Structure formats: structure tokens, C-alpha cells
Amino acid sequence: MGEHVIEVRGLVKRYPDITAVDGIEFDVSRGQVFSLLGPNGAGKTTTVEILEGLRDPTAGEARVLGQDVRSGYRRIRERVGVLPQDFEPFDRLRPREAVTYWARLFDHDVSEEAVASIIETVGLSDRADTFALNLSGGEKRRLGIAMALVGQPDLLFLDEPTTGLDPGARRELWTLIGDLKKKGRTILLTTHYLDEAEQLADDVAIMNHGKIVAHGSPSALISQFGGGTTIVLAGAGRGGSQALTARGIAAELHGDDVFVHVPMAGQVRPMLAKLASIEIPLTEIYTKRSTLEDVFLKLVGARMEEGVLAA
Ligand code: ATP
């Protein structure tokens, strides 16, 4: 298997009414953070659950830590840690108890030192003896990651680890995930937040309708699918978009905003001057460097927001 912790070839999952995963291929190397992105229903959870051994593929191959997901389920479970989507700890367990309980359940080290060390890794030492009920949302996710870390897994599946958290707690979790990566863990991250993937992932695969529509490092994808700068005419609406198109300026309408893409840095000022000369009602005009969100908009034609696919 070499350096690949996950290998996926021609993977297909069909349900009676839909092909949820439609012949995807990707590899995840040891020590990488690999992010699966896509709008609701793209097939991410199905893919991850196949890799976790929870669902059988219809066709194709998937190997995790060298084991075929169909036959090696038990061996895979011993060496992976999972933070499930919408993880909620038991209210009446304290982090120290929850980690001990979990370690015992899976026959891992339950010594005081081992448990304290995991709790420290996730930054919960000060809250180790507080009922989970009284933990903040971010602390509860940290506890979930602590439970995923019992048994020192080679591979972590983090399924939307920061959904629903406030921006401060999200950033703290990013730091924790970055630290886990530095310690050599391989992480498969599914997320609805493109900034999160851009910040954390070495490689991303964007899924849509069961297929991978783009795959590569965030920076490679940004330059492949239109690096450069976007001028945003906020609130310019369909009328603004039509006014620009009529003057030969390529404009894209996203919600009520109009985007004008400028590939070369030197073209930004002339384009701003040109736009200023056209009478368009708008609320604000600003520029932004291309991000993974722009790649996503281009490929999937939609904005990905927390659990919602907005037009
Ligand atoms: P989300 O971001 O909402 O979690 P996703 O990308 O994880 O979406 P999946 O949950 O993998 O997408 O679903 C892919 C498609 O397969 C969807 O159309 C979904 O309705 C369908 N699907 C998922 N599980 C089942 C099932 N057990 N039986 C039938 N159809 C299913």
C-alpha cells in the first residue's frame, strides 16, 4: 500500500433510487489532511461511511490502512478514530470518565496517565471533571476528538467537526486539528466550510452528484480554476449584471451580488475605473482574492453554507 493510508478506485454506491457515489478515485497519503467537500447530497457521508466500514460499496475498491473495507472492517476499526457528525456526549459523564469509558470499551489503555494525556492533547485538562452538560459546544467537540483518539489511531475521520460552533471555537478547533496533523496523524475531514478546508487541508476533493469534479491542493485548485482577483459589486443584482454584459464585461450573478473576475493583478485598477464609469445602483464595491469558495462556486454553481445549499 506504500504511503497511502486510503486508496479508492472506481468506487460506486447505488441506492434503489440514486447512485450516491459514482465511480470516484482518490488516495490519501500518510500524514495528510484530506478534505471532502460538496453540497448536500453530493455523496460525502456515503463515501466516508464506506471507508469507516459502515456501508458496503456496490462496486469498486476501497482500502483503508491496507485493508479492504469489505473484509477488513474489524482491523480497520482498531486503527481509526471517528468524530461523527453531530457528536453529542452523555450529559452526565465528565470528560475524564467519558474517555476512560470509551478506552475500556475498545480495550485500550485506561491508565490515569493515558487518559490525562489524551485530555491534555485536546486542551480539556481544566474541564476534565465537569459534567459534559456544562461544556461549551467547542469543548464538547474536543471531547469527541479525545474519544476518537483513544487507542492512538493512525487515521482520524472528522465529520463536520466545527458545524454550529461560533467563530472563536471554530478557530480553536482548527488549531487542534493542525496540531494533530503536526504530530503525524492522517485526517479525513468533511466540512461545509470552504475556509476551513483551505486553511487545514493539503488536498481537497470536491464532490457533486456522486462524482469528484476537482481534486488537488487548495492553492493548485485556486490557480487552476481562476486565481486572481474578484471585484464584487454588492447589491448590483440582475440589472447590474445585464448592464455589464451589454458592455462586454463578463459578469456572474451570485444572489444579489455581481462578480467580475480579473485574472491579472495589473488589470484590477483599469477594471475598477471602467466599472466606476457605468451607472449601476449598488450598496458596496470591494475586491477579494480568489478562494476555494470561488472554485466551488464555479464548479458546483452554488454556495455551500452550513447544512444549506443556497442558490
Ligand atoms: P450532506 O452534506 O447533506 O451530509 P452528503 O454529501 O454527505 O450530504 P450523502 O448523505 O452521501 O450526501 O447522500 C448522497 C445521496 O444518497 C443523497 O441523494 C441521499 O439522499 C442518498 N442516500 C443517502 N443514504 C441513503 C440511504 N440509506 N438510502 C437511500 N438513499 C440514500
Side-chain angles (χ1 to χ4, degrees), residues 15 18 20 39-46 55 85 192:
Y15 294 117
I18 193 166
N40 293 132
K44 307 178 298 291
T45 303
T46 304
R55 301 191 200 193
Q85 212 174 91
H192 274 125

Side-chain angles (χ1 to χ4, degrees), residues 271-286:
M271 181 56 85
L272 279 170
K274 198 165 170 183
L275 292 172
S277 70
I278 305 170
E279 279 285 312
I280 305 172
L282 45 84
T283 52
E284 193 187 351
I285 185 164
Y286 59 90

Side-chain angles (χ1 to χ4, degrees), residues 23-92:
I24 62 170
E25 324 234 326
F26 65 87
D27 293 323
V28 178
S29 305
R30 193 169 297 282
Q32 254 196 339
V33 176
F34 186 94
S35 185
L36 268 184
L37 301 171
N40 293 132
K44 307 178 298 291
T45 303
T46 304
T47 304
V48 170
E49 292 191 353
I50 290 172
L51 297 174
E52 291 170 357
L54 299 176
R55 301 191 200 193
D56 275 335
T58 310
E61 260 201 76
R63 299 179 77 77
V64 173
L65 297 160
Q67 305 289 330
D68 188 313
V69 290
R70 290 184 180 86
S71 54
Y73 168 73
R74 284 192 173 280
R75 270 162 292 169
I76 292 172
R77 289 301 295 191
E78 282 165 12
R79 294 175 56 202
V80 306
V82 177
L83 174 72
Q85 212 174 91
D86 305 323
F87 167 81
E88 276 293 331
F90 292 121
D91 282 351
R92 293 280 166 194

